[in-house]
PDB file of all heavy atoms in Angstrom:
ATOM      1  N   TYR A  37     134.991 148.646 137.668  1.00 97.00           N
ATOM      2  CA  TYR A  37     134.522 149.956 137.282  1.00 97.00           C
ATOM      3  C   TYR A  37     135.771 150.580 136.586  1.00 97.00           C
ATOM      4  O   TYR A  37     136.914 150.364 136.963  1.00 97.00           O
ATOM      5  CB  TYR A  37     134.119 150.913 138.410  1.00 97.00           C
ATOM      6  CG  TYR A  37     132.681 150.620 138.939  1.00 97.00           C
ATOM      7  CD1 TYR A  37     132.424 149.568 139.913  1.00 97.00           C
ATOM      8  CD2 TYR A  37     131.575 151.307 138.658  1.00 97.00           C
ATOM      9  CE1 TYR A  37     131.231 149.379 140.346  1.00 97.00           C
ATOM     10  CE2 TYR A  37     130.363 151.248 138.995  1.00 97.00           C
ATOM     11  CZ  TYR A  37     130.076 150.210 139.970  1.00 97.00           C
ATOM     12  OH  TYR A  37     128.864 149.963 140.413  1.00 97.00           O
ATOM     13  N   GLN A  39     137.422 154.321 135.530  1.00 97.00           N
ATOM     14  CA  GLN A  39     137.431 155.812 135.792  1.00 97.00           C
ATOM     15  C   GLN A  39     138.419 156.427 134.779  1.00 97.00           C
ATOM     16  O   GLN A  39     139.555 156.442 134.972  1.00 97.00           O
ATOM     17  CB  GLN A  39     137.825 156.063 137.266  1.00 97.00           C
ATOM     18  CG  GLN A  39     137.654 157.701 137.621  1.00 97.00           C
ATOM     19  CD  GLN A  39     137.894 157.790 139.027  1.00 97.00           C
ATOM     20  OE1 GLN A  39     138.845 157.325 139.660  1.00 97.00           O
ATOM     21  NE2 GLN A  39     137.144 158.691 139.678  1.00 97.00           N
ATOM     22  N   ARG A  50     129.548 142.885 136.590  1.00 91.00           N
ATOM     23  CA  ARG A  50     129.177 142.304 137.991  1.00 91.00           C
ATOM     24  C   ARG A  50     129.231 140.864 137.899  1.00 91.00           C
ATOM     25  O   ARG A  50     128.710 140.309 136.887  1.00 91.00           O
ATOM     26  CB  ARG A  50     127.925 142.993 138.405  1.00 91.00           C
ATOM     27  CG  ARG A  50     127.192 142.216 139.466  1.00 91.00           C
ATOM     28  CD  ARG A  50     125.782 142.788 139.642  1.00 91.00           C
ATOM     29  NE  ARG A  50     124.903 141.867 140.315  1.00 91.00           N
ATOM     30  CZ  ARG A  50     123.583 142.126 140.485  1.00 91.00           C
ATOM     31  NH1 ARG A  50     123.222 143.378 140.262  1.00 91.00           N
ATOM     32  NH2 ARG A  50     122.812 141.273 141.185  1.00 91.00           N
ATOM     33  N   GLY A 104     123.535 143.063 147.995  1.00 58.00           N
ATOM     34  CA  GLY A 104     124.784 143.648 148.270  1.00 58.00           C
ATOM     35  C   GLY A 104     124.671 145.166 148.428  1.00 58.00           C
ATOM     36  O   GLY A 104     124.157 145.758 147.567  1.00 58.00           O
ATOM     37  N   ASN A 105     125.231 145.574 149.493  1.00 71.00           N
ATOM     38  CA  ASN A 105     125.185 147.124 149.692  1.00 71.00           C
ATOM     39  C   ASN A 105     126.580 147.845 149.667  1.00 71.00           C
ATOM     40  O   ASN A 105     126.897 148.521 148.711  1.00 71.00           O
ATOM     41  CB  ASN A 105     124.429 147.380 150.966  1.00 71.00           C
ATOM     42  CG  ASN A 105     122.958 147.195 150.867  1.00 71.00           C
ATOM     43  OD1 ASN A 105     122.296 147.619 149.832  1.00 71.00           O
ATOM     44  ND2 ASN A 105     122.429 146.718 151.860  1.00 71.00           N
ATOM     45  N   LYS A 106     127.364 147.557 150.590  1.00 80.00           N
ATOM     46  CA  LYS A 106     128.564 148.293 150.681  1.00 80.00           C
ATOM     47  C   LYS A 106     129.597 147.740 149.645  1.00 80.00           C
ATOM     48  O   LYS A 106     129.934 146.592 149.627  1.00 80.00           O
ATOM     49  CB  LYS A 106     129.163 148.141 152.066  1.00 80.00           C
ATOM     50  CG  LYS A 106     128.361 148.600 153.210  1.00 80.00           C
ATOM     51  CD  LYS A 106     129.151 148.319 154.560  1.00 80.00           C
ATOM     52  CE  LYS A 106     128.332 148.787 155.603  1.00 80.00           C
ATOM     53  NZ  LYS A 106     128.962 148.596 156.928  1.00 80.00           N
ATOM     54  N   LEU A 107     130.021 148.742 148.808  1.00 88.00           N
ATOM     55  CA  LEU A 107     131.001 148.413 147.815  1.00 88.00           C
ATOM     56  C   LEU A 107     132.361 148.639 148.472  1.00 88.00           C
ATOM     57  O   LEU A 107     132.631 149.833 148.871  1.00 88.00           O
ATOM     58  CB  LEU A 107     131.040 149.212 146.668  1.00 88.00           C
ATOM     59  CG  LEU A 107     129.903 148.721 145.479  1.00 88.00           C
ATOM     60  CD1 LEU A 107     129.851 149.621 144.374  1.00 88.00           C
ATOM     61  CD2 LEU A 107     130.398 147.192 144.900  1.00 88.00           C
TER      62      LEU A 107
ATOM     63  N   GLN B  37     136.283 160.091 147.392  1.00 97.00           N
ATOM     64  CA  GLN B  37     137.620 159.640 146.834  1.00 97.00           C
ATOM     65  C   GLN B  37     138.719 160.659 147.077  1.00 97.00           C
ATOM     66  O   GLN B  37     138.684 161.713 146.724  1.00 97.00           O
ATOM     67  CB  GLN B  37     137.497 159.503 145.366  1.00 97.00           C
ATOM     68  CG  GLN B  37     138.709 158.806 144.552  1.00 97.00           C
ATOM     69  CD  GLN B  37     138.565 158.711 143.139  1.00 97.00           C
ATOM     70  OE1 GLN B  37     137.780 159.403 142.451  1.00 97.00           O
ATOM     71  NE2 GLN B  37     139.066 157.605 142.585  1.00 97.00           N
ATOM     72  N   TYR B  48     124.789 155.082 153.232  1.00 92.00           N
ATOM     73  CA  TYR B  48     123.781 154.764 152.105  1.00 92.00           C
ATOM     74  C   TYR B  48     122.352 154.658 152.733  1.00 92.00           C
ATOM     75  O   TYR B  48     122.184 154.472 153.901  1.00 92.00           O
ATOM     76  CB  TYR B  48     124.157 153.380 151.398  1.00 92.00           C
ATOM     77  CG  TYR B  48     124.046 152.229 152.185  1.00 92.00           C
ATOM     78  CD1 TYR B  48     122.782 151.555 152.156  1.00 92.00           C
ATOM     79  CD2 TYR B  48     125.087 151.538 152.899  1.00 92.00           C
ATOM     80  CE1 TYR B  48     122.607 150.326 152.737  1.00 92.00           C
ATOM     81  CE2 TYR B  48     124.937 150.409 153.522  1.00 92.00           C
ATOM     82  CZ  TYR B  48     123.751 149.787 153.438  1.00 92.00           C
ATOM     83  OH  TYR B  48     123.656 148.462 154.183  1.00 92.00           O
ATOM     84  N   ASP B  56     123.276 152.733 156.881  1.00 87.00           N
ATOM     85  CA  ASP B  56     124.518 152.596 157.527  1.00 87.00           C
ATOM     86  C   ASP B  56     125.298 153.742 157.303  1.00 87.00           C
ATOM     87  O   ASP B  56     125.625 154.295 156.140  1.00 87.00           O
ATOM     88  CB  ASP B  56     125.254 151.326 156.897  1.00 87.00           C
ATOM     89  CG  ASP B  56     126.623 151.112 157.672  1.00 87.00           C
ATOM     90  OD1 ASP B  56     127.192 151.891 158.296  1.00 87.00           O
ATOM     91  OD2 ASP B  56     127.114 149.978 157.359  1.00 87.00           O
ATOM     92  N   ARG B  95     121.072 152.851 142.826  1.00 93.00           N
ATOM     93  CA  ARG B  95     120.711 151.593 142.217  1.00 93.00           C
ATOM     94  C   ARG B  95     119.309 151.086 142.772  1.00 93.00           C
ATOM     95  O   ARG B  95     118.700 151.686 143.638  1.00 93.00           O
ATOM     96  CB  ARG B  95     121.749 150.430 142.746  1.00 93.00           C
ATOM     97  CG  ARG B  95     121.805 150.185 144.112  1.00 93.00           C
ATOM     98  CD  ARG B  95     121.033 148.861 144.456  1.00 93.00           C
ATOM     99  NE  ARG B  95     120.842 148.691 145.874  1.00 93.00           N
ATOM    100  CZ  ARG B  95     121.551 147.932 146.772  1.00 93.00           C
ATOM    101  NH1 ARG B  95     122.517 147.270 146.180  1.00 93.00           N
ATOM    102  NH2 ARG B  95     121.336 147.847 147.991  1.00 93.00           N
ATOM    103  N   PHE B 103     119.149 143.093 142.969  1.00 83.00           N
ATOM    104  CA  PHE B 103     119.555 144.599 142.851  1.00 83.00           C
ATOM    105  C   PHE B 103     120.353 144.827 141.608  1.00 83.00           C
ATOM    106  O   PHE B 103     120.990 143.875 141.177  1.00 83.00           O
ATOM    107  CB  PHE B 103     120.448 144.979 144.063  1.00 83.00           C
ATOM    108  CG  PHE B 103     121.692 144.139 144.264  1.00 83.00           C
ATOM    109  CD1 PHE B 103     122.805 144.631 143.783  1.00 83.00           C
ATOM    110  CD2 PHE B 103     121.704 142.906 144.878  1.00 83.00           C
ATOM    111  CE1 PHE B 103     124.107 144.003 143.910  1.00 83.00           C
ATOM    112  CE2 PHE B 103     122.819 142.200 145.091  1.00 83.00           C
ATOM    113  CZ  PHE B 103     124.045 142.684 144.586  1.00 83.00           C
ATOM    114  N   GLN B 106     125.441 149.671 140.941  1.00 91.00           N
ATOM    115  CA  GLN B 106     125.406 151.086 141.326  1.00 91.00           C
ATOM    116  C   GLN B 106     125.895 151.906 140.167  1.00 91.00           C
ATOM    117  O   GLN B 106     126.936 151.708 139.551  1.00 91.00           O
ATOM    118  CB  GLN B 106     126.245 151.297 142.525  1.00 91.00           C
ATOM    119  CG  GLN B 106     125.775 150.583 143.793  1.00 91.00           C
ATOM    120  CD  GLN B 106     126.671 150.862 144.974  1.00 91.00           C
ATOM    121  OE1 GLN B 106     127.334 151.941 144.985  1.00 91.00           O
ATOM    122  NE2 GLN B 106     126.639 150.025 145.989  1.00 91.00           N
TER     123      GLN B 106
END
Side-chain angles (χ1 to χ4, degrees):
Chain A
Y37 281 85
Q39 187 173 41
R50 159 185 159 181
N105 285 318
K106 300 182 184 181
L107 278 178
Chain B
Q37 184 177 33
Y48 72 88
D56 187 341
R95 65 102 193 256
F103 59 97
Q106 294 182 25

